[in-house]
């Protein structure tokens, strides 16, 4: 029994290893345009103290100072409402960011704020009061605030309240035991919704998720404990928060700015983003692979070391390069990939960024394309006699010249083309994705395209046999221009080359009178719908005859009954008898009416009534008869 | 005895009717098939119920039908016929 268990554990650990190898990569970040949009929203003129708070603190999270700090300070002082804890919070926090903005707090204001820090206030009120007291630099009893907060938090379970509790704790002294609040981070992480393994967000929305990230890191930095958020979860949170590119409300812009600030500057987790310069492609003209390393706010990180762990060819899976560092040149990290003379195609690069223990998402996979130029060599055009009595006539053409004279293909001659494709830089043979031979009828505009294929020695061959190919050409004889089309994603010089003119002659009897251009978008012939024919009925005479015939046995029956002497004389006129017979007749009549007019439900209804009456009467009648007997 | 003869006459009538319907179907065609089936089953069903009635009211078989009086048999006959013809009329179309 130890054997299978061991195997299971080995399998599980292998799966885990595999899962780690497929680490999540950030799919969203704030690039320069997003930052500009964010700043534009945050730099709107203030409408009230709250807007001032959002703008000032939001911009400072992005590392931007407000344009006119003095005017901002004056605005806040004039618009703050000293009787509202919330307004005081906004003012205090904003003024803390502005340099040289001081205010003296009256005793009444101080008492108001201190009174708000109690179990009777909501979490939001406690948060605002504590934040205001901290922002104004006023003394605060951290232990009491903490107990009020904890008591209140056990009653209010909403996500927003918990996030506000996290921020409140970050204002309290470190002497107090904030561990119970710190544990809330883990609980909140459990409440996040995983969307497709790529995004992680609260069902309350992205604004709440962003506020959570900012609060979690603020508190973690304050207490010095790493937040209970795993690396993959941080990346998923990032993807969710920075996926929003339109910031409609100021509060939304504020939350995203704070999250961006938190993720680019905290003591524990720094997501890095590796951005290639343009498409990740190298060639002989451009042999350097250039990368930029930034944080989530697209700020360059240059005090890092970027290393290529390995580069593998996608097609052959061979490792081409290993353990090579990138060199820093200005803002970019560069690597000359063409030094190893790779064959053209795609390569998987595993790149890692080191330099700070806090880095996460610092190992990425990048697909790099190596392009090259193609050269066509050994191009031979020949006319091959079908009977093979005459030796083939071969003409060599060099790209990009056109062959002089024209070639013929008719009933006793085939036209053949052969060529080779090589990589101009390395001389190796190339097999591109597209190698087409296009024949274009100069008079009618028809074109037919064939694929040239390689033989065993990687020489491309194309042969035109008029008898085999006449359907593609619609048997239209004439002079055709021959083009060679070579293309591939990894070729820098796709080729469209007019090689020669070919005169193709098809046997006369197959030639169509006029060549119709195959226009696909003309109305098609109308389809006449054949409605279902009613079945053939026999002539009315026949039907009527048979109806009469079928009714004739009834006559026979009556005659027989009279002959046998059915005693109608025994008919007693007792009421039950009459009712019975009437009822029975009515039932028969109901059958007829059912046939012509009623449906089953109505019939059953009437039948129930009539049947009931008939049954009762019949019962009486038969009982009387039995008695008589 | 007269009763039995009258019943037999009825049975003969039903038989002939059924046979004629079948002959029509063979000769002219099955259109409309549901009507043919309806009529034919009416004939066959009535015949069977009639035979059942005949067996039940036959004095020779009195020993086997202790609990069922001829009146009761007749009532059963009528009831069964009602149900049969309800279905037949439903199906005749």
């Amino acid at each position: 029994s130890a054997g299978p268990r061991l195997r299971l554990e080995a399998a599980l650990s292998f799966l885990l290893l595999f899962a780690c190898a497929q680490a999540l990569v950030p799919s969203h970040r704030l690039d320069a345009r997003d930052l500009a949009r964010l700043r534009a929203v945050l730099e709107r003129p203030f409408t009230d103290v709250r807007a001032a708070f959002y703008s000032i603190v939001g911009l400072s999270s992005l590392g931007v100072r407000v344009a006119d700090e003095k005017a901002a300070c004056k605005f806040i002082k004039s618009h703050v409402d000293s009787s509202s804890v919330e307004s005081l919070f906004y003012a205090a926090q904003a003024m803390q960011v502005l340099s040289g903005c001081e205010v003296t707090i009256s005793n009444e204001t101080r008492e108001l704020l201190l009174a708000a820090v109690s179990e009777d206030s909501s979490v939001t009120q406690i948060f605002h009061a504590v934040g205001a007291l901290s922002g104004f630099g006023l003394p605060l009893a951290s232990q009491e605030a903490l107990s009020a907060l904890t008591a209140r938090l056990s009653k209010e379970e909403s996500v927003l309240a918990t996030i506000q509790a996290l921020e409140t704790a970050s204002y309290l002294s470190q002497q107090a035991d904030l561990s119970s609040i710190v544990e809330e981070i883990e609980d909140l992480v459990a409440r996040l919704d995983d969307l497709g393994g790529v995004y992680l967000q609260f069902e309350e929305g992205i604004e709440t998720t962003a506020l959570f990230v900012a609060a979690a890191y603020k508190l973690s930095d304050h207490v010095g404990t790493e937040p209970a958020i795993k690396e993959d979860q941080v990346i998923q949170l990032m993807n969710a928060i920075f996926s929003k590119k339109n910031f409609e409300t100021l509060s939304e812009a504020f939350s995203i700015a704070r999250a961006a600030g938190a993720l680019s500057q905290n003591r524990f987790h720094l997501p890095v983003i590796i951005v290639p310069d343009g498409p990740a492609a190298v060639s002989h003209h451009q042999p350097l692979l250039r990368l930029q390393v930034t944080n989530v706010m697209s700020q360059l990180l240059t005090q890092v070391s970027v290393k290529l762990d390995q580069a593998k060819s996608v097609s052959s899976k061979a490792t081409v390069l290993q353990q090579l560092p990138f060199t820093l040149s200005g803002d970019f990290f560069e690597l000359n990939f063409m030094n190893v003379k790779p064959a053209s195609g795609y390569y998987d690069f595993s790149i890692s960024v080191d330099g700070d223990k806090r880095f996460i998402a610092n190992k990425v996979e990048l697909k790099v394309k190596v392009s090259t130029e193609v050269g066509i060599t050994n191009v031979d055009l020949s006319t091959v006699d079908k009977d093979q009595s005459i030796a083939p006539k071969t003409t060599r053409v060099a790209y990009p010249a056109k062959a002089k004279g024209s070639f013929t293909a008719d009933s006793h001659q085939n036209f053949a083309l052969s060529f080779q494709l090589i990589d101009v830089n390395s001389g190796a043979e190339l097999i591109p994705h597209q190698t087409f031979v296009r024949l274009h009828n100069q008079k009618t505009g028809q074109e037919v395209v064939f694929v040239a294929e390689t033989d065993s020695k990687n020489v491309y061959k194309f042969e035109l046999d008029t008898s085999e190919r006449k359907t593609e050409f619609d048997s239209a004889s004439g002079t055709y221009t021959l083009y060679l089309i070579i293309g591939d994603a990894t070729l820098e010089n796709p080729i469209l080359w007019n090689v020669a003119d070919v005169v193709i002659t098809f046997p006369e009897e197959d030639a169509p009178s006029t060549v119709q251009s195959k226009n696909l978008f003309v109305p098609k012939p109308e389809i006449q719908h054949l409605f279902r024919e009613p079945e053939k009925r026999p002539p009315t005479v026949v039907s009527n005859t048979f109806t009469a015939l079928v009714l004739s046995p009834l006559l026979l029956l009556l005659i027989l009954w009279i002959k046998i002497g059915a005693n109608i004389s025994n008919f007693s006129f007792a009421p039950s008898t009459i009712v019975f017979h009437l009822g029975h007749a009515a039932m028969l009549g109901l059958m007829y009416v059912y046939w012509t007019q009623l449906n089953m439900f109505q019939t059953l209804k009437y039948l129930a009534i009539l049947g009931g009456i008939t049954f009762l009467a019949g019962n009486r009648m038969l009982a009387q008869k039995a008695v008589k007997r | 005895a007269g009763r039995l003869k009258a019943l037999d006459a009825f049975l003969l009538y039903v038989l002939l009717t059924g046979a004629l319907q079948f002959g029509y179907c063979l000769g002219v065609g099955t259109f409309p098939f549901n009507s043919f089936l309806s009529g034919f089953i009416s004939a066959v069903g009535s015949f069977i119920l009639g035979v059942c009635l005949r067996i039940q009211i036959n004095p020779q078989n009195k020993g086997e039908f202790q609990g069922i009086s001829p009146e009761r048999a007749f009532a059963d006959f009528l009831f069964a016929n009602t149900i049969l013809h309800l279905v037949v009329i439903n199906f005749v179309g």
Side-chain angles (χ1 to χ4, degrees):
Chain A
S1 67
R5 236 193 82 216
L6 211 64
R7 273 218 306 231
L8 180 67
E9 283 169 358
L12 276 174
S13 54
F14 175 73
L15 272 174
L16 217 72
L17 204 71
F18 187 72
C20 289
Q22 314 273 44
L24 199 54
V25 174
S27 55
H28 294 285
R29 65 182 168 114
L30 284 180
D31 64 16
R33 280 175 307 183
D34 302 327
L35 277 170
R37 253 181 270 130
L38 200 53
R39 276 182 63 170
V41 175
L42 289 170
E43 279 169 351
R44 284 190 210 144
F46 310 146
T47 49
D48 57 10
V49 183
R50 187 159 88 149
F53 161 73
Y54 283 147
S55 296
I56 296 169
V57 179
L59 285 170
S60 95
S61 304
L62 295 177
V64 176
R65 302 212 72 87
V66 174
D68 189 347
E69 292 201 342
K70 280 206 165 46
C73 192
K74 237 172 59 171
F75 179 91
I76 296 170
K77 283 193 195 162
S78 56
H79 283 78
V80 69
D81 175 7
S82 298
S83 60
S84 149
V85 175
E86 189 177 341
S87 181
L88 287 166
F89 166 76
Y90 294 137
Q93 290 292 318
M95 289 203 281
Q96 207 183 21
V97 170
L98 296 170
S99 59
C101 194
E102 308 267 333
V103 70
T104 41
I105 305 298
S106 68
N107 275 344
E108 299 151 350
T109 318
R110 192 154 61 100
E111 292 305 317
L112 173 69
L113 289 174
L114 284 170
V117 182
S118 86
E119 267 181 48
D120 304 318
S121 321
S122 68
V123 172
T124 312
Q125 283 175 312
I126 299 177
F127 164 54
H128 285 153
V130 170
L133 286 165
S134 161
F136 287 135
L138 297 171
L140 164 69
S142 289
Q143 195 57 48
E144 282 155 30
L146 180 62
S147 49
L149 189 64
T150 330
R152 201 61 217 178
L153 198 56
S154 58
K155 292 190 206 134
E156 283 180 52
E157 300 233 315
S158 73
V159 170
L160 194 59
T162 319
I163 294 175
Q164 285 177 332
L166 293 177
E167 278 222 51
T168 315
S170 70
Y171 294 124
L172 301 176
S173 154
Q174 282 163 311
Q175 314 286 8
D177 181 14
L178 301 168
S179 54
S180 64
I181 307 290
V182 176
E183 279 163 15
E184 295 290 342
I185 296 180
E186 207 173 334
D187 291 342
L188 279 175
V189 171
R191 285 163 85 162
L192 288 161
D193 291 328
D194 186 326
L195 302 175
V198 178
Y199 303 103
L200 208 57
Q201 64 183 68
F202 287 114
E203 66 176 3
E204 285 84 352
I206 289 180
E207 190 176 328
T208 315
T209 316
L211 286 174
F212 162 66
V213 169
Y217 281 104
K218 187 166 175 197
L219 181 59
S220 302
D221 281 356
H222 182 66
V223 298
T225 335
E226 188 177 347
I229 311 177
K230 299 200 216 51
E231 184 173 326
D232 274 359
Q233 289 174 323
V234 178
I235 299 175
Q236 283 179 299
L237 283 165
M238 251 177 74
N239 288 342
I241 296 170
F242 301 131
S243 67
K244 196 159 183 41
K245 302 296 188 185
N246 273 315
F247 319 109
E248 288 124 18
T249 63
L250 192 53
S251 61
E252 206 169 54
F254 165 73
S255 67
I256 293 178
R258 288 221 33 223
L263 284 172
S264 44
Q265 272 184 325
N266 67 73
R267 285 161 63 179
F268 302 102
H269 299 148
L270 277 189
V272 298
I273 310 219
I274 298 167
V275 183
D277 180 31
V282 294
S283 66
H284 268 270
H285 307 294
Q286 219 296 68
L288 296 172
L289 180 65
R290 284 149 62 93
L291 303 174
Q292 270 188 320
V293 179
T294 71
N295 62 10
V296 294
M297 290 206 298
S298 297
Q299 289 169 335
L300 287 175
L301 302 172
T302 43
Q303 308 295 333
V304 298
S305 67
V306 183
K307 191 171 63 148
L308 170 68
D309 287 332
Q310 66 172 354
K312 280 209 305 201
S313 157
V314 170
S315 47
S316 71
K317 306 259 185 286
T319 305
V320 174
L321 210 51
Q322 275 193 67
Q323 304 296 328
L324 198 63
F326 279 69
T327 46
L328 177 61
S329 153
D331 288 339
F332 291 92
F333 288 89
E334 296 178 342
L335 182 84
N336 188 328
F337 189 44
M338 295 308 281
N339 276 341
V340 292
K341 302 205 186 317
S344 66
Y346 287 92
Y347 292 83
D348 281 327
F349 275 42
S350 304
I351 298 172
S352 63
V353 176
D354 295 302
D356 194 317
K357 275 196 291 105
R358 297 173 293 170
F359 282 162
I360 60 174
N362 58 334
K363 291 198 190 320
V364 290
E365 299 272 323
L366 197 63
K367 215 177 199 70
V368 178
K369 180 169 84 167
V370 175
S371 307
T372 185
E373 287 165 318
V374 70
I376 315 185
T377 59
N378 301 343
V379 184
D380 288 327
L381 300 159
S382 38
T383 40
V384 182
D385 197 62
K386 277 199 203 174
D387 305 331
Q388 309 205 323
S389 53
I390 317 171
K393 216 171 36 149
T394 309
T395 319
R396 173 149 289 197
V397 193
Y399 175 72
K402 182 168 167 176
K404 295 192 190 23
S406 61
F407 298 79
T408 39
D410 51 28
S411 46
H412 45 255
Q413 284 181 86
N414 286 350
F415 170 77
L417 165 70
S418 80
F419 56 93
Q420 269 186 300
L421 297 173
I422 55 161
D423 183 335
V424 163
N425 297 308
S426 69
E429 284 161 350
L430 274 185
I431 313 280
H433 285 156
Q434 299 171 330
T435 51
F436 300 138
V437 176
R438 172 174 173 249
L439 289 152
H440 180 230
N441 188 325
Q442 292 164 347
K443 216 167 26 172
T444 67
Q446 266 178 296
E447 69 173 27
V448 187
V449 182
F450 298 98
V451 178
E453 284 168 5
T454 54
D455 64 7
S456 52
K457 293 194 287 262
N458 280 346
V459 176
Y460 280 90
K461 283 197 163 33
F462 166 70
E463 191 155 330
L464 180 61
D465 185 340
T466 51
S467 49
E468 279 174 13
R469 300 289 188 194
K470 61 177 183 225
T471 39
E472 280 96 336
F473 285 90
D474 272 345
S475 298
S477 310
T479 314
Y480 285 79
T481 335
L482 185 105
Y483 292 91
L484 194 58
I485 303 174
I486 310 286
D488 191 272
T490 57
L491 289 183
E492 289 184 308
N493 60 334
I495 292 176
L496 174 66
W497 176 27
N498 182 351
V499 184
D501 289 328
V502 184
V503 178
I504 307 182
T505 317
F506 293 97
E508 269 310 311
E509 63 265 14
D510 299 327
S513 47
T514 49
V515 177
Q516 294 147 326
S517 65
K518 285 202 173 89
N519 191 355
L520 295 170
F521 302 105
V522 293
K524 294 219 174 7
E526 193 176 330
I527 306 171
Q528 296 292 2
H529 180 75
L530 273 175
F531 286 100
R532 187 162 159 260
E533 310 252 350
E535 291 194 31
K536 269 201 348 221
R537 308 184 92 154
T540 332
V541 180
V542 179
S543 314
N544 289 343
T545 315
F546 266 100
T547 312
L549 209 58
V550 157
L551 289 174
S552 57
L554 189 64
L555 226 78
L556 177 68
L557 177 70
L558 288 171
I559 298 170
L560 279 174
W561 271 353
I562 293 170
K563 267 192 75 182
I564 293 167
N567 41 0
I568 314 176
S569 48
N570 236 354
F571 195 76
S572 60
F573 283 90
S576 51
T577 321
I578 299 176
V579 172
F580 167 75
H581 280 101
L582 281 178
H584 192 228
M587 275 163 68
L588 295 173
L590 179 66
M591 289 294 141
Y592 176 76
V593 178
Y594 175 30
W595 182 36
T596 50
Q597 286 178 345
L598 304 174
N599 64 35
M600 179 66 101
F601 300 106
Q602 295 166 312
T603 313
L604 282 178
K605 194 171 58 175
Y606 295 134
L607 196 65
I609 302 169
L610 287 175
I613 298 170
T614 313
F615 174 72
L616 290 171
N619 213 6
R620 184 77 85 64
M621 178 191 81
L622 288 172
Q624 286 171 354
K625 261 221 158 146
V627 163
K628 261 201 229 159
R629 196 165 47 85
Chain B
R3 267 202 284 197
L4 288 178
K5 276 202 195 150
L7 233 186
D8 285 344
F10 176 70
L11 289 177
L12 178 68
Y13 153 67
V14 170
L15 188 74
L16 285 176
T17 312
L20 278 171
Q21 282 182 25
F22 194 69
Y24 171 88
C25 184
L26 283 181
V28 184
T30 59
F31 183 79
F33 195 52
N34 60 310
S35 307
F36 159 67
L37 278 182
S38 167
F40 193 64
I41 285 171
S42 165
V44 168
S46 300
F47 187 82
I48 292 170
L49 289 173
V51 168
C52 289
L53 180 65
R54 193 186 192 284
I55 294 174
Q56 285 182 329
I57 65 176
N58 198 342
Q60 291 175 336
N61 296 336
K62 203 140 176 213
E64 297 182 34
F65 296 104
Q66 287 291 352
I68 306 177
S69 62
E71 284 75 26
R72 170 69 197 278
F74 182 65
D76 285 343
F77 171 74
L78 284 184
F79 180 64
N81 258 313
T82 309
I83 299 178
L84 172 70
H85 285 94
L86 188 68
V87 174
V88 159
I89 300 288
N90 186 34
F91 203 51
V92 77

